[in-house]
Amino acid sequence: MTDTAIATPPKADPTKLSDFAQSVIDVLDQLRKSGPMQSIVFPPYPELLARLQTALAAAEPDLNEVSRIATSDVGMSMALLKAANSPLYAAGQPVQTIGQALNRLGLDQTAAVMTGFLAQRAIKVNSPHLARFWERAGKRATALAYLAQKLPGMSPDVAYTFGLFCHVGMAVMVQSCKGYTGTLVEAMARKDRSFVATENANHKTDHAVVGALVARAWRMHPLVIASIRLHHDLGSLGESRIDSDIHNLLAAGLIADYLMREHEGLEPDADWKTYSEAALAWLQITGDELAGWQVELGDLLDEG
């Protein structure tokens, strides 16, 4: 795995952002102050995540601090050991210590797994309409990390983080927006308009915006923030104004969701039916490759 140290950096330096990424962040900052957002309770920025990002931000990342954070919580330690011994990363003998897990995963993927654990701790999901939310988020993250290993130029840790947080806005909205559980049922049933269109009609915002705001507040990488914001705006796939790295994540996210649904025996969703051709063309993926990945990923999801 390439060690790029970009999954969970400190607050983004605007001078290093593309014009498009900066524009997304600027709009999100404006939306955060708008009327519909005033009723939404955003999860607080976890203290351990702040410590982790600070440790990673140094010119020479503080590996001792990362290890101290990893071992400060038994649940987090178990999550790292499980990830390191999962089919996606396992190689050779099973790892038995946190040090071994960090070495096998690499710094960036370690940070991504720890961020996911902290998110699950901070954002509880109790609605029956979002059954298995974090389990499915974990599978989506695994699928995206797997695809990133197959596609040149994609960072597995960034892809993993995007997969984990892609739909986190739903978990936040179900806790804060009156009637949102009914909106979920309606949005999944309607054929005449998109999921986010139904959310906007009922709540004047949607989970893509709310999820991107969570990622912004939690100081995630701009690629993750922008991709969460755009993950239902797939008609923009390939537009020159948008960074190619964002297009990569959007296309891979669509493919990951398709492969997950296939694995679960579900019909392809409306986004796949509409935008699959564009996504496959953008990533230059053939039908044979997709079929092969479906088998390999299915085995990983079964064993993970």
Side-chain angles (χ1 to χ4, degrees), residues 247-260:
H247 287 314
N248 291 344
L249 283 175
L250 295 177
L254 182 64
I255 292 168
D257 277 340
Y258 164 74
L259 292 175
M260 282 180 61

Side-chain angles (χ1 to χ4, degrees), residues 1 8 13 22 43-44 48 50 66 77 90 118 123 125 136 146 159 181 193 217 220 238 241 249 254 278 282 284 293:
M1 186 186 72
T8 52
D13 179 353
Q22 184 62 61
L48 284 179
V66 173
S77 297
L118 293 170
I123 306 172
V125 184
R136 299 198 80 252
Y146 166 83
T181 54
R193 64 186 182 193
M220 294 184 184
R241 66 189 177 93
L249 283 175
L254 182 64
W282 173 264
Q284 299 182 3
W293 295 350

Side-chain angles (χ1 to χ4, degrees), residues 9 27 31 40 47 69 142 158 179 185 198 205 228 235 237 252 262 266 284:
V27 170
L31 289 172
I40 295 178
E47 179 184 353
I69 296 169
T142 295
V158 172
V185 175
T198 298
T205 191
I228 292 172
L237 192 61
E262 285 286 301
L266 300 175
Q284 299 182 3

Side-chain angles (χ1 to χ4, degrees), residues 148-165:
Q149 292 178 350
K150 300 291 186 180
L151 298 168
M154 286 191 69
S155 174
D157 54 287
V158 172
Y160 182 95
T161 305
F162 169 58
L164 268 177
F165 284 85

Side-chain angles (χ1 to χ4, degrees), residues 9-296:
K11 189 173 182 180
D13 179 353
T15 64
K16 296 182 180 179
L17 302 183
S18 70
D19 290 343
F20 179 79
Q22 184 62 61
S23 71
V24 170
I25 288 174
D26 288 344
V27 170
L28 288 171
D29 289 345
Q30 294 170 9
L31 289 172
R32 183 65 181 90
K33 303 172 185 177
S34 69
M37 295 299 160
Q38 302 310 303
S39 63
I40 295 178
V41 179
F42 285 87
Y45 179 37
E47 179 184 353
L48 284 179
L49 181 57
R51 282 178 55 190
L52 176 63
Q53 291 174 341
T54 298
L56 294 174
E60 292 293 332
D62 188 342
L63 301 183
N64 289 329
E65 173 69 350
V66 173
S67 181
R68 282 192 293 270
I69 296 169
T71 56
S72 67
D73 186 287
V74 173
M76 188 183 299
S77 297
M78 295 300 295
L80 286 168
L81 289 170
K82 180 180 178 181
N85 287 314
S86 70
L88 188 60
Y89 298 103
Q93 295 297 316
V95 302
Q96 298 178 334
T97 69
I98 292 300
Q100 292 172 344
L102 267 61
N103 286 334
R104 176 170 290 179
L105 292 171
L107 186 59
D108 295 333
Q109 190 59 32
T110 293
V113 172
M114 292 167 69
T115 300
F117 174 84
L118 293 170
Q120 293 182 57
R121 178 71 60 85
I123 306 172
K124 301 298 184 182
V125 184
N126 299 316
S127 171
H129 297 285
L130 292 177
R132 299 170 52 232
F133 178 85
W134 283 116
E135 177 188 342
R136 299 198 80 252
K139 288 182 180 296
R140 184 181 300 107
T142 295
L144 272 156
Y146 166 83
L147 291 173
Q149 292 178 350
K150 300 291 186 180
L151 298 168
M154 286 191 69
S155 174
D157 54 287
V158 172
Y160 182 95
T161 305
F162 169 58
L164 268 177
F165 284 85
C166 187
H167 293 155
V168 76
M170 293 182 185
V172 174
M173 291 182 73
V174 80
Q175 295 179 1
S176 297
C177 298
K178 184 178 180 180
Y180 185 70
T181 54
T183 296
L184 284 174
V185 175
E186 178 187 355
M188 287 186 282
R190 293 192 72 139
K191 305 297 183 184
D192 59 326
R193 64 186 182 193
S194 69
F195 195 103
V196 292
T198 298
E199 288 179 316
N200 276 285
N202 293 353
H203 305 286
K204 296 184 171 60
T205 191
D206 58 64
H207 74 277
V209 172
V210 174
L213 281 168
V214 173
R216 169 67 167 151
W218 285 23
R219 300 181 181 181
M220 294 184 184
H221 193 277
L223 287 179
V224 173
I225 298 171
S227 298
I228 292 172
R229 174 63 189 89
L230 295 176
H231 76 274
H232 280 294
D233 293 337
L234 294 168
S236 64
L237 192 61
E239 288 185 8
S240 59
R241 66 189 177 93
I242 301 175
D243 307 63
S244 60
D245 288 337
I246 294 173
H247 287 314
N248 291 344
L249 283 175
L250 295 177
L254 182 64
I255 292 168
D257 277 340
Y258 164 74
L259 292 175
M260 282 180 61
R261 292 181 70 85
E262 285 286 301
H263 180 253
E264 295 173 351
L266 300 175
E267 290 290 324
D269 62 15
D271 280 346
W272 178 258
K273 292 175 182 177
T274 304
Y275 300 110
S276 59
E277 185 175 345
L280 293 171
W282 173 264
L283 294 173
Q284 299 182 3
I285 295 172
T286 67
D288 288 343
E289 286 176 314
L290 186 64
W293 295 350
Q294 182 177 339
V295 173
E296 290 181 10

